[in-house]
Amino acid sequence: MVVAVEEKDYRWIFHLDDSSGSNIEVTCPKERPPLQATISAAPTAPTNNEALRNNSMARTLCGNAIDMSDIDLGSVVKVKGGISEFRGEKQITLERFELIRSTTDEAAAWREMHEFRANILSKPWYIPSDGEQRLKEEADGTKAQAEEKVRRKAEKEAKEEKRKAQREEKERRKKKRAEREALRPEGISKRRTNDKENVAT
């Protein structure tokens, strides 16, 4: 059951209560309107952001269009999607959506969920040997990519540290040179300056 609906600039978020004791957010991107060809061709047309805010259409990851104006507080819906996380809270990224309009449809949805749990979720899942090998290869590739990313990050940090040390050494030498110049007698400093000028001429 829908207990809250939020409209953002680029997506819709509605909160579902499935009687489990906690609610979950379902996110779905807005269907983007076509961009204006030219401003002069449609001087009174809303901007793209305004059109997005006024747009009640959404589109799931599977390409199904949803008119969010049909959804209200208390609407009974059936959703399927992937699990994601935002700021430590679980979310459903909507893939399939169905608005339950009658108690008959609701009973059919409950029956379908019960059959799915009994026939699919409650049974052990077995992966054939060829499928297991393929999954291992994919996992190894993902692991190699992660290790390469860590290695490049370490190299970048090492280069940054080296450049920082070089800058600090340069500043230290510059400061030390300035201190030596300040400690020299004024006559010696002027004589050396004149000698340099004579050599230059």
Side-chain angles (χ1 to χ4, degrees), residues 57-110:
M57 298 301 296
R59 188 167 293 276
T60 68
L61 295 181
C62 294
N64 300 323
I66 304 172
D67 189 351
M68 295 298 295
S69 62
D70 292 338
I71 301 175
D72 202 352
L73 300 184
S75 296
V76 179
V77 297
K78 175 183 173 183
V79 300
K80 291 182 180 180
I83 301 297
S84 58
E85 188 171 319
F86 179 71
R87 294 179 180 175
E89 297 292 334
K90 299 293 185 183
Q91 290 183 331
I92 297 177
T93 304
L94 191 61
E95 295 180 0
R96 291 181 175 83
F97 175 89
E98 182 180 348
L99 182 62
I100 306 299
R101 301 182 181 275
S102 67
T103 54
T104 302
D105 293 339
E106 184 176 356
W110 279 107

Side-chain angles (χ1 to χ4, degrees), residues 27 44 51 57 104 111 118 132 141 144 151 155 161 168 191:
T27 65
T44 61
M57 298 301 296
T104 302
R111 183 171 60 253
E132 184 177 359
R151 185 187 65 79
E155 288 182 352
E161 288 293 331
E168 291 176 350
R191 186 168 63 250

Side-chain angles (χ1 to χ4, degrees), residues 2-198:
V2 178
V3 295
V5 179
E6 297 180 54
E7 181 181 6
K8 305 294 184 180
D9 284 343
Y10 294 96
R11 68 184 184 278
W12 288 92
I13 302 175
F14 52 97
H15 301 248
L16 295 185
D17 182 1
D18 61 353
S19 301
S20 64
S22 61
N23 300 341
I24 189 168
E25 294 181 353
V26 180
T27 65
C28 185
K30 282 188 173 182
E31 186 171 34
R32 299 201 173 196
L35 296 174
Q36 302 174 35
T38 58
I39 297 177
S40 59
T44 61
T47 63
N48 194 42
N49 285 341
E50 290 175 345
L52 281 170
R53 285 193 292 270
N54 297 329
N55 181 23
S56 65
M57 298 301 296
R59 188 167 293 276
T60 68
L61 295 181
C62 294
N64 300 323
I66 304 172
D67 189 351
M68 295 298 295
S69 62
D70 292 338
I71 301 175
D72 202 352
L73 300 184
S75 296
V76 179
V77 297
K78 175 183 173 183
V79 300
K80 291 182 180 180
I83 301 297
S84 58
E85 188 171 319
F86 179 71
R87 294 179 180 175
E89 297 292 334
K90 299 293 185 183
Q91 290 183 331
I92 297 177
T93 304
L94 191 61
E95 295 180 0
R96 291 181 175 83
F97 175 89
E98 182 180 348
L99 182 62
I100 306 299
R101 301 182 181 275
S102 67
T103 54
T104 302
D105 293 339
E106 184 176 356
W110 279 107
R111 183 171 60 253
E112 181 182 350
M113 186 184 69
H114 174 75
E115 292 175 353
F116 179 75
R117 178 175 296 178
N119 299 331
I120 304 298
L121 298 181
S122 298
K123 294 182 178 180
W125 291 10
Y126 296 100
I127 302 176
S129 58
D130 56 343
E132 184 177 359
Q133 181 63 28
R134 178 177 56 81
L135 293 175
K136 286 182 178 179
E137 292 175 355
E138 291 179 357
D140 291 340
T142 304
K143 183 179 179 181
Q145 291 177 358
E147 291 175 348
E148 178 66 15
K149 186 176 180 180
V150 171
R151 185 187 65 79
R152 289 182 179 179
K153 183 179 180 181
E155 288 182 352
K156 183 178 179 181
E157 291 176 351
K159 290 180 180 179
E160 289 292 337
E161 288 293 331
K162 184 177 180 180
R163 285 194 289 265
K164 182 179 178 181
Q166 290 174 344
R167 289 194 300 267
E168 291 176 350
E169 178 65 17
K170 185 177 180 180
E171 289 294 329
R172 187 184 65 81
R173 292 181 178 179
K174 183 178 179 181
K175 184 178 180 181
K176 192 172 181 180
R177 190 181 305 114
E179 291 175 350
R180 287 199 302 266
E181 291 291 337
L183 293 175
R184 286 175 181 168
E186 185 177 355
I188 296 176
S189 298
K190 288 183 177 180
R191 186 168 63 250
R192 291 192 174 182
T193 303
N194 293 333
D195 291 341
K196 289 181 180 179
E197 289 177 355
N198 292 333

